[in-house]
Amino acid sequence: MDDRINQSIAVAKSKTLKLTFNPLSPLKKPPQDHAPLQFRLLSLLPYLIPCMGAIAFTDQAFMAFPMTFKIAVAISPLLQIFYSNSFIPFVTFFTLFLAVVRNVKLNHFLRYNTMQAILIDICVMLAGLIMQYLPMFITVSRIGDMLEVFTLMNALFALMYCAWNVVQGIYPEIPIITEAVYAQVRDQ
């Protein structure tokens, strides 16, 4: 009986696959769960649009948070060009959506992040529209100031989260928005 057990153990040991890892051997290709560097850098660019929208949305946050003023000064040339004509944001939206998001020949990581930036920008625009249609006594009061700062801080937090993940090559996932992004960005 012992011989049978020893025999079966010997057979099992001979069939096991030995996995060895040599840290000095070069990798043949990068890991599949991270995007290539060029697509990481390109994926950061669409996030400038919601950043400009969030900064253009508020004026109260500049007084409350001086860092937002520094960001606004840094991207002010882009703000001036982007908002010099009301047609430019419209054309930019459709260009990004049709030329990048719907183009299945482009990298999925780039398409995903472009669509996510578009949806974050839509959320910022919706907050601006809501603020426009609130009664005047609310928008000029302390409540209106707090809503502006709240919207800006949430938008900037979401953008910093996305930018951090994009730099790492990871898909940034924001609840609800990510589901809508995956519905739009699909390989056919």
Side-chain angles (χ1 to χ4, degrees):
M1 182 97 155
D2 288 334
D3 289 336
R4 283 183 145 181
I5 294 173
N6 288 338
Q7 232 177 6
S8 62
I9 291 174
V11 169
K13 282 184 180 179
S14 68
K15 289 184 179 179
T16 58
L17 180 64
K18 288 187 178 183
L19 297 176
T20 59
F21 174 72
N22 183 0
L24 300 176
S25 69
L27 292 175
K28 294 180 182 172
K29 59 182 180 176
Q32 294 297 320
D33 57 342
H34 294 291
L37 181 63
Q38 68 266 23
F39 292 114
R40 293 181 199 185
L41 296 176
L42 284 174
S43 295
L44 283 174
L45 292 177
Y47 287 109
L48 285 174
I49 294 170
C51 183
M52 289 187 299
I55 288 176
F57 168 74
T58 186
D59 57 347
Q60 295 301 318
F62 298 139
M63 291 180 267
F65 302 101
M67 185 63 178
T68 58
F69 183 72
K70 292 177 184 177
I71 295 172
V73 168
I75 65 170
S76 64
L78 289 173
L79 281 166
Q80 290 174 349
I81 293 169
F82 194 70
Y83 291 111
S84 64
N85 185 348
S86 61
F87 196 61
I88 292 174
F90 180 74
V91 170
T92 305
F93 167 76
F94 277 106
T95 302
L96 285 174
F97 185 73
L98 296 174
V100 177
V101 174
R102 289 297 183 177
N103 188 354
V104 293
K105 294 178 184 174
L106 290 176
N107 183 286
H108 187 269
F109 189 74
L110 175 64
R111 293 172 39 230
Y112 174 89
N113 284 293
T114 302
M115 189 65 212
Q116 185 145 301
I118 288 171
L119 289 178
I120 292 172
D121 189 43
I122 289 172
C123 291
V124 170
M125 285 189 290
L126 285 174
L129 285 173
I130 290 170
M131 284 294 290
Q132 283 180 353
Y133 289 107
L134 284 177
M136 183 66 88
F137 69 90
I138 292 177
T139 57
V140 297
S141 70
R142 193 81 163 132
I143 295 171
D145 295 346
M146 289 180 355
L147 286 173
E148 281 186 17
V149 171
F150 178 76
T151 302
L152 177 73
M153 289 298 117
N154 278 314
L156 290 181
F157 177 74
L159 292 171
M160 286 188 292
Y161 169 76
C162 291
W164 177 253
N165 282 322
V166 166
V167 167
Q168 292 180 337
I170 302 169
Y171 285 80
E173 296 198 7
I174 299 173
I176 300 171
I177 292 178
T178 300
E179 295 170 13
V181 170
Y182 280 122
Q184 292 297 320
V185 180
R186 54 184 178 268
D187 295 327
Q188 293 156 341

